[in-house]
Amino acid sequence: MFKYVLKRIGQMLITLFLIMTILFLLLKITPGSPFSNPKITPTLRAQLEEKYGLDKPILTQYGMYLSNVLQGDLGESIVMIKNYPVKDMVAEPLAITIKLGVISLFVGSAIGIFLGALAALNRNRFWDYFNTIIAVVGVSVPAFVVAMVLLILRQDYFPFIPLIFSKADPIKGVTALDELVSLTLPVVSLSFGVIASISRYMRTELVEVYNTDYILLARAKGLNKRQVFTRHAFRNALVPIITVMGPMVVALMTGSVVVEKFFGVPGLSQLTIKSINVKDTFVTLASELLYSLMFVVTMLIVDLLYGVIDPRIRLSGGDKK
Amino acid sequence: MKKLVLALLTLGLVLSTAACSSKPAGNTGGTSGGTHTIRVLNYESKSATVLMEYVVQQWEELFGDYPVEFVIDTLPFAEKLQKCTEGDFEISFSGWSPDYAWPTTFLNMWTIGSEYNEVGYASEEYTKLVDGTDKDPAQAFADLQAAEKVLLEDGILIPVYQRGGTMVQSPDVKGIIKHSIGFDYSYKWATKADGSMINLLETEKMPSLDAMLATDAVSFLNLGNLSEGLLIPGEAEGSVLPGVASDWNFDEATMTWTFNLRPEASWINSKGEVVRPVSAEDFEYAWNRVFADDSIAQYKFMKDTAKIVEYGAKDDHTFTVTVSENVPYFESLMSFGTFLPVPVEFVEEKGATYGTTLDTFLSNGPFYLSKWDHSSEVIWSKNENYWDADVVQIPGVTYRVIEQYDPATGVALFNDGAIDRVGLTGEFVDQFKDDPRVWKFTEASTFYFMINVGNANGVLEAYDAENGGNPLLDNVNVRKALALAFDKAFIAYELDKNGNIPADYFVPSAFSTYEGEPFEAARGEGYMHYNTEEALKYWEAGMAELGIEKK
């Protein structure tokens, strides 16, 4: 098990290194300069590029960047906040995006699992149809439409729900609870998609589990419906869900761009998009690396969890390759 | 091993795609199967796209009998800018805003040798009208008016509109002054009915509070209210009021301006505490920093614009500036962000981090910076130690930062009462149409098509007067035809409705005057007014000269 984890961490590092390299080269090859203010004359632009080392050959710049990263220096922002360390710039947005993603995942999963189970236990009756509708709508409707609808509904029916995100600030009297409450609308927007897919997965898995021999045996042994569900069916159906939740976490974090925009959440998504637009390369690299890191770590955790939950995997060595 | 190979293959694919796609759009003025093409370069923006499609549609309708097609290339802003500098465009849709209150900030873009002359316009006549020295001021002003006429009648620029905007503001808030030059708003004289903080929305992070590095509107807005220079801008465009200088005078004999600084002007930290009085050395040090040879300050050219020869602190409270020529807009320049003072020893201590955080900045204006959270909020608090503190009637201003902002959110916040003012665009202008809280404003910026007539290799290279790229556009009749062929009023009043006004001129209206005469007095309705008959006549003349026959 330990060797497996070590091997996976090694693979992670190689993956991150490759991503960083490819991304760096891609960003440097694309046209456009961080100094894209029409008032900057070509002479001044050349001076600025020299100052920030942008006139050096790409490979030299890459070498400098790599050696800095290995020493823990992610560089400084050139455009968005001049001379400000990138590390400090991404820290807070990262925390907010993770918070938003994780809360949306839990809320969405809880509701999705519940609805999916309800659908499976009431096959071809009301809850099943309800679940199908939710799933189709959730998967088809884009996040920004959900966000806009929420904005309109809120204005007319729920004006007491905060419109935009407020950061906890003891001086202004905004508590951590207030901050959480201000995440209501973003969480609702994001969890819509989660509910849709998780509920479908849950329903499908549960139906499949109910068709297995061991469930038949459990009923034959004399367990009632509730016991069968809680002791056997539910847990077995959950296992594949956990695999799905892994990539869903990252999809939530990357897909939250629209939600961040509408509800003023200063998360990592909008920082990344902005930095790409203004060609603040170090910021883009740092945030993309963070996304990649979150993805590979999440996959590792999911794989390990899978091994912990399902003894069949654990016994066969853990390595599914 | 397999994964490594896969990764390398991906890398190779990515690199080759990038290499292939970086071929220039091409100054072809190409023909294919007898059809001539004119390419129009645009940037990614909803309103610009709609405008461009309308104009091109008008051109194609009017000139449809000839084998000429128009192609629109839309690029991200930074990329488009690069193409323009390199001369890799035929027609480009661009805009310009002023740096100081004099027409040369617009007109000297197109002189021979100007680094902004992206169209490669090589007109001796135009250059002499704009640049010529040894003229008396009245003659110089008249020459500038004539220069605009030459530029537009030569079809080098086709102006489309002067930018305006629409805002809806809470009736409880009054006294905010809007500027077209320098920084956008002054809040010194603002009032709010219940005496509380004014709440506003900002759609960008603030990049820097170091005036030397500041190039964007947000930085300047903050600097303009948190800091104060020798003078401050007044309500009328180009006018000034006392700032750190309580009085000033100009001595013709020595060509020297003398500014007397008030002793009570002070530097304030983020807690509102006085650090020390502002001294003339602070101005001298700041100006040295900006105008140094190796300085990367975007506005260091302003030393030449102001015709400054030398400057210095005569003593703690006297600052002198010697000029080679007393330009009419000198005082207006002294209210501009580039000429702000900085606290000497504080800047030396903070080094490169100066102006990046709350603790690396000192204020000396009507407000001081009391909170700077880069991702969410900036708060200005009233500076009780400001020399004119009695005039400041609000406890401060809060700017909530929402980047990648959607107008719907802003309007919702305004309706909630969470913010006191919001800009309106698109369908929201219609929504608030009859609302008395709406006010429209015009800015001193113009948007226009510029036609490449001589820039083949970049602005720093010699102009290629014979070959701007597209032979059709080298023909003055073709350019005039394009200029006369579309309805600017329709664009400004029907297509966009944001508050823009149609422009048959390049230097904005209500922008500069000389001895009471506004610049626009000489041009009446403007130049090259919409006229499809004339357009067709010029087009046919141009086609005949180029030897292109009807389809």
Side-chain angles (χ1 to χ4, degrees):
Chain A
M1 184 61 135
F2 186 63
K3 260 207 309 199
Y4 174 66
V5 173
L6 233 52
K7 188 164 144 206
R8 286 294 297 267
I9 291 182
Q11 287 175 345
M12 262 168 53
L13 290 172
I14 296 180
T15 310
L16 287 174
F17 173 74
L18 277 173
I19 290 174
M20 182 179 76
T21 307
I22 295 176
L23 199 59
F24 188 93
L25 294 172
L26 264 179
L27 286 170
K28 287 296 171 184
I29 291 172
T30 47
S33 150
F35 312 112
S36 56
N37 185 329
K39 305 267 174 166
I40 297 181
T41 61
T43 311
L44 187 62
R45 186 172 291 127
Q47 261 182 297
L48 283 163
E49 292 187 347
E50 197 196 315
K51 173 168 192 271
Y52 289 104
L54 298 177
D55 58 335
K56 299 199 172 46
I58 293 181
L59 284 176
T60 315
Q61 291 185 46
Y62 176 67
M64 281 163 53
Y65 180 68
L66 189 58
S67 76
N68 284 335
V69 168
L70 290 173
Q71 293 169 48
D73 176 10
L74 290 172
E76 281 168 1
S77 167
I78 299 174
V79 183
M80 293 169 74
I81 304 177
K82 304 197 183 185
N83 300 335
Y84 199 68
V86 170
K87 242 193 311 202
D88 297 333
M89 264 184 91
V90 298
E92 215 182 289
L94 176 68
I96 294 177
T97 296
I98 290 180
K99 208 190 285 194
L100 181 59
V102 166
I103 296 178
S104 304
L105 182 73
F106 277 122
V107 168
S109 303
I111 299 178
I113 289 173
F114 176 71
L115 285 178
L118 216 54
L121 294 173
N122 294 288
R123 235 175 317 160
N124 296 325
R125 297 214 298 271
F126 169 72
W127 283 110
D128 199 7
Y129 297 133
F130 179 70
N131 180 246
T132 311
I133 294 171
I134 294 274
V136 169
V137 170
V139 156
S140 328
V141 176
F144 68 87
V145 174
V146 177
M148 289 223 82
V149 169
L150 282 174
L151 264 182
I152 297 170
L153 287 178
R154 176 206 164 266
Q155 199 154 340
D156 294 332
Y157 301 111
F158 316 109
F160 49 85
I161 298 183
L163 173 63
I164 52 174
F165 173 74
S166 315
K167 215 161 72 146
D169 185 349
I171 301 174
K172 284 179 73 175
V174 180
T175 64
L177 184 63
D178 290 329
E179 185 179 308
L180 227 62
V181 168
S182 73
L183 277 176
T184 311
L185 290 179
V187 165
V188 170
S189 308
L190 278 178
S191 50
F192 218 64
V194 177
I195 294 174
S197 30
I198 299 257
S199 65
R200 281 319 285 173
Y201 272 114
M202 188 63 189
R203 184 212 180 271
T204 314
E205 283 308 315
L206 209 49
V207 165
E208 208 177 288
V209 160
Y210 268 112
N211 284 332
T212 54
D213 290 341
Y214 61 86
I215 294 293
L216 190 59
L217 176 63
R219 291 304 308 276
K221 270 175 30 179
L223 296 176
N224 65 35
K225 269 202 194 154
R226 193 182 55 82
Q227 285 168 321
V228 167
F229 179 76
T230 49
R231 280 193 218 174
H232 300 288
F234 186 61
R235 291 181 195 185
N236 284 310
L238 269 187
V239 174
I241 305 271
I242 291 176
T243 355
V244 163
M245 274 168 77
M248 200 168 276
V249 166
V250 191
L252 273 176
M253 293 196 257
T254 52
S256 61
V257 172
V258 167
V259 167
E260 289 182 9
K261 179 174 135 137
F262 268 96
F263 302 112
V265 182
L268 200 56
S269 308
Q270 51 93 322
L271 187 77
T272 314
I273 303 273
K274 182 78 200 280
S275 67
I276 294 173
N277 283 334
V278 298
K279 284 220 89 172
D280 210 344
T281 310
F282 291 146
V283 179
T284 312
L285 281 166
S287 43
E288 293 294 351
L289 275 177
L290 279 171
Y291 276 125
S292 314
L293 184 66
M294 287 194 288
F295 188 80
V296 293
V297 166
T298 310
M299 294 316 291
L300 178 62
I301 293 179
V302 164
D303 281 346
L304 291 177
L305 225 57
Y306 211 39
V308 162
I309 294 175
D310 192 342
R312 292 171 294 183
I313 309 270
R314 198 173 25 195
L315 289 171
S316 72
D319 191 343
K320 300 201 302 289
K321 296 291 179 277
Chain B
M1 187 58 199
K2 244 199 291 187
K3 272 200 278 207
L4 188 59
V5 171
L6 195 62
L8 287 170
L9 275 174
T10 318
L11 184 60
L13 188 66
V14 156
L15 286 172
S16 54
T17 320
C20 291
S21 64
S22 59
K23 271 205 283 274
N27 265 348
T28 51
T31 38
S32 71
T35 313
H36 300 262
T37 336
I38 295 181
R39 309 193 75 94
V40 190
L41 185 60
N42 197 9
Y43 55 91
E44 285 169 352
S45 132
K46 200 172 89 166
S47 54
T49 306
V50 168
L51 185 154
M52 189 69 77
E53 286 175 1
Y54 169 73
V55 173
V56 163
Q57 184 204 42
Q58 296 297 295
W59 284 341
E60 284 176 343
E61 259 178 40
L62 199 57
F63 309 130
D65 289 340
Y66 288 86
V68 178
E69 67 165 5
F70 295 89
V71 176
I72 303 177
D73 296 316
T74 307
L75 290 176
F77 190 75
E79 228 179 291
K80 169 191 179 284
L81 208 66
Q82 197 167 335
K83 285 218 184 290
C84 288
T85 315
E86 291 166 1
D88 190 5
F89 72 98
E90 298 179 8
I91 303 182
S92 165
F93 182 61
S94 309
W96 193 256
S97 50
D99 293 321
Y100 50 92
W102 198 244
T104 44
T105 182
F106 286 90
L107 296 170
N108 67 10
M109 285 168 78
W110 316 109
T111 55
I112 298 172
S114 161
E115 285 202 50
Y116 295 119
N117 192 345
E118 290 166 344
V119 296
Y121 183 43
S123 164
E124 300 272 356
E125 181 194 3
Y126 179 80
T127 306
K128 233 190 292 199
L129 285 170
V130 177
D131 274 352
T133 47
D134 290 332
K135 297 182 203 174
D136 76 73
Q139 180 61 47
F141 195 69
D143 279 355
L144 292 177
Q145 291 168 320
E148 185 186 41
K149 182 166 196 270
V150 166
L151 182 71
L152 296 183
E153 290 186 346
D154 230 348
I156 305 298
L157 296 192
I158 304 176
V160 183
Y161 61 82
Q162 180 172 343
R163 188 163 62 188
T166 314
M167 289 256 173
V168 62
Q169 183 168 308
S170 157
D172 293 338
V173 173
K174 297 193 197 324
I176 301 178
I177 298 182
K178 180 146 193 5
H179 303 291
S180 266
I181 315 167
F183 52 97
D184 288 337
Y185 298 96
S186 288
Y187 291 91
K188 179 173 163 176
W189 299 274
T191 59
K192 189 163 172 183
D194 60 1
S196 64
M197 290 274 234
I198 291 183
N199 297 309
L200 298 169
L201 204 58
E202 187 51 80
T203 59
E204 306 276 339
K205 280 197 196 5
M206 181 154 59
S208 176
L209 276 179
D210 182 346
M212 183 178 80
L213 298 176
T215 60
D216 63 291
V218 180
S219 300
F220 274 122
L221 173 64
N222 279 267
L223 282 169
N225 287 274
L226 299 169
S227 309
E228 194 169 78
L230 293 167
L231 306 174
I232 58 177
E235 196 165 350
E237 216 62 77
S239 69
V240 292
L241 293 167
V244 174
S246 52
D247 57 274
W248 59 99
N249 58 72
F250 179 68
D251 179 16
E252 282 237 32
T254 55
M255 295 294 277
T256 303
W257 286 89
T258 306
F259 294 90
N260 297 312
L261 311 183
R262 58 189 86 239
E264 64 272 27
S266 307
W267 292 110
I268 310 289
N269 65 19
S270 61
K271 298 191 187 48
E273 300 157 346
V274 174
V275 173
R276 69 156 169 81
V278 177
S279 111
E281 268 92 39
D282 294 329
F283 282 92
E284 188 179 332
Y285 180 80
W287 289 24
N288 284 339
R289 222 170 149 244
V290 171
F291 301 134
D293 282 333
D294 58 353
S295 140
I296 49 163
Q298 183 173 297
Y299 288 103
K300 66 183 188 181
F301 66 83
M302 290 223 160
K303 185 175 177 205
D304 295 326
T305 314
K307 307 278 189 252
I308 293 176
V309 171
E310 62 176 3
Y311 51 85
K314 253 174 62 180
D315 57 53
D316 276 353
H317 301 293
T318 318
F319 188 71
T320 59
V321 185
T322 310
V323 295
S324 60
E325 187 190 323
N326 188 17
V327 293
Y329 48 89
F330 181 80
E331 285 163 312
S332 164
L333 273 178
M334 291 301 106
S335 67
F336 193 67
T338 312
F339 296 97
L340 286 170
V342 294
V344 180
E345 70 288 354
F346 187 81
V347 170
E348 309 242 278
E349 186 200 320
K350 301 297 175 188
T353 63
Y354 172 66
T356 57
T357 63
L358 190 62
D359 301 317
T360 56
F361 179 73
L362 296 182
S363 318
N364 74 323
F367 302 94
Y368 68 91
L369 187 67
S370 56
K371 180 176 178 187
W372 187 3
D373 180 330
H374 283 107
S375 51
S376 66
E377 218 169 36
V378 173
I379 300 186
W380 306 345
S381 299
K382 174 178 170 175
N383 178 3
E384 299 293 348
N385 295 294
Y386 180 57
W387 61 270
D388 212 7
D390 293 337
V391 160
V392 180
Q393 305 207 20
I394 46 173
V397 178
T398 303
Y399 269 103
R400 175 78 168 77
V401 178
I402 300 186
E403 282 194 284
Q404 305 298 337
Y405 153 90
D406 194 276
T409 311
V411 171
L413 282 171
F414 177 77
N415 287 330
D416 265 4
I419 55 176
D420 293 314
R421 179 188 73 199
V422 73
L424 300 173
T425 53
E427 71 265 29
F428 295 108
V429 176
D430 276 336
Q431 214 180 84
F432 282 86
K433 215 167 37 155
D434 299 313
D435 195 317
R437 299 171 298 177
V438 166
W439 55 279
K440 288 193 184 291
F441 58 90
T442 321
E443 289 178 353
S445 308
T446 43
F447 283 75
Y448 47 87
F449 290 104
M450 57 180 187
I451 303 184
N452 189 346
V453 293
N455 181 0
N457 300 308
V459 288
L460 294 175
E461 307 294 322
Y463 304 142
D464 194 345
E466 306 300 300
N467 177 23
N470 189 333
L472 269 70
L473 297 172
D474 286 339
N475 182 301
V476 64
N477 287 321
V478 168
R479 296 199 298 267
K480 288 193 194 208
L482 294 175
L484 295 167
F486 62 94
D487 188 356
K488 299 165 192 184
F490 179 79
I491 293 174
Y493 299 132
E494 301 297 326
L495 276 188
D496 212 325
K497 304 197 209 205
N498 277 347
N500 300 330
I501 51 181
D504 282 329
Y505 50 83
F506 175 48
V507 177
S509 295
F511 168 64
S512 75
T513 60
Y514 178 69
E515 312 254 292
E517 180 193 321
F519 184 83
E520 54 267 32
R523 66 186 179 213
E525 291 267 315
Y527 309 106
M528 309 296 282
H529 193 66
Y530 176 52
N531 186 327
T532 46
E533 277 170 25
E534 289 285 315
L536 202 50
K537 271 202 224 132
Y538 278 119
W539 183 263
E540 284 168 352
M543 289 293 116
E545 284 167 7
L546 289 163
I548 300 175
E549 291 176 0
K550 287 196 189 179
K551 279 196 269 208

